[in-house]
Amino acid sequence: PFSSATMDAIKKKMQAMKVEKDNAMDRSDVCEQAAKDAKVRAAKAEEEVAELVKKSIQLEVELDKTTEELLTTTEKLKQKEDSLLSAELEVNALNRRVSGLEEDVEKCEDKLLLATNKLDKAATAADDSDRMRKVLESRAQQDEERMGKLEEELKEARNQAEDADKKYDEVQKTLVQVEGDLERAEERAEVGE
């Protein structure tokens, strides 16, 4: 048979065990709740991880796309730089050509000035020549008129000379006759003496 002290000890022990069991149950409940909370958090974390993985994949795709675009842009930029360099070389060549053409234009302008001066002199000379031609033509016309008059006068003088010759011949004949008559008369006079 157990003594009352032992029984008390057993009761206390049992009460203590009941308290521990209740505490353990409480702790178990707390743990279960914590486990549930942890599971919810874990599920949420997994969702977040999945979302992050998805985002990561998207970012990788975007990165690839961006890298590709960057390469294309770099290539285009290189082409534009090459075009720009080519254009600069062409512009330099054109500038040199323009300088050459400007020099040619200056030379041409100098030649044009000389030619214009010569043309002015030639025009003046032509005007002088034209005036001289007109003067000479006028003189030639006057000379022709004078020649015409002189020819008329010459013709008239020839006619007069011919008339004079005829008259001279007639006078000569008359003179010969008179001289003959005179000689005969003188002879007769001498004979008469």
Side-chain angles (χ1 to χ4, degrees):
F2 295 106
S3 64
S4 62
T6 305
M7 286 299 281
D8 285 343
I10 287 168
K11 273 181 187 175
K12 278 182 185 174
K13 184 87 172 170
M14 282 182 78
Q15 278 175 349
M17 281 174 76
K18 188 178 181 294
V19 168
E20 272 183 34
K21 183 195 164 196
D22 289 341
N23 286 340
M25 289 295 282
D26 289 342
R27 282 202 302 277
S28 174
D29 289 342
V30 169
C31 282
E32 272 181 23
Q33 189 59 46
K36 278 179 189 173
D37 291 346
K39 273 183 186 175
V40 169
R41 282 203 306 278
K44 197 174 178 184
E46 276 177 13
E47 279 176 20
E48 285 176 2
V49 167
E51 191 65 34
L52 285 170
V53 168
K54 194 177 170 185
K55 275 187 184 173
S56 175
I57 290 165
Q58 278 179 349
L59 284 170
E60 278 179 7
V61 168
E62 282 176 15
L63 179 64
D64 289 344
K65 194 177 172 186
T66 305
T67 305
E68 202 173 311
E69 283 174 0
L70 180 64
L71 284 170
T72 305
T73 306
T74 306
E75 186 61 34
K76 280 182 184 172
L77 183 64
K78 190 176 179 296
Q79 285 174 2
K80 281 187 179 174
E81 282 174 351
D82 291 345
S83 296
L84 182 65
L85 186 66
S86 177
E88 281 176 353
L89 290 171
E90 198 174 334
V91 165
N92 288 336
L94 285 170
N95 282 336
R96 283 196 296 276
R97 194 171 162 206
V98 165
S99 295
L101 286 170
E102 281 175 352
E103 285 175 14
D104 289 348
V105 166
E106 280 179 18
K107 286 176 187 172
C108 285
E109 282 175 348
D110 291 341
K111 283 180 183 174
L112 180 64
L113 189 65
L114 284 170
T116 306
N117 289 337
K118 281 182 183 176
L119 184 64
D120 288 343
K121 285 178 184 173
T124 305
D127 289 343
D128 292 344
S129 296
D130 198 45
R131 277 196 294 276
M132 185 61 74
R133 180 182 60 78
K134 283 176 182 170
V135 167
L136 290 173
E137 278 177 358
S138 176
R139 277 189 194 166
Q141 198 173 344
Q142 286 171 3
D143 288 348
E144 277 178 13
E145 287 169 5
R146 279 174 64 200
M147 281 285 286
K149 282 180 185 174
L150 285 170
E151 280 174 1
E152 287 292 322
E153 286 172 12
L154 181 63
K155 199 187 278 182
E156 205 175 312
R158 277 178 184 160
N159 290 335
Q160 284 174 359
E162 281 175 12
D163 290 344
D165 281 343
K166 282 176 186 173
K167 281 179 185 175
Y168 176 75
D169 287 343
E170 286 171 9
V171 169
Q172 189 74 28
K173 281 177 188 174
T174 306
L175 182 64
V176 168
Q177 282 177 358
V178 168
E179 280 178 348
D181 290 345
L182 182 64
E183 275 179 17
R184 281 193 296 276
E186 283 176 349
E187 282 172 5
R188 277 199 303 273
E190 281 176 9
V191 169
E193 284 177 3

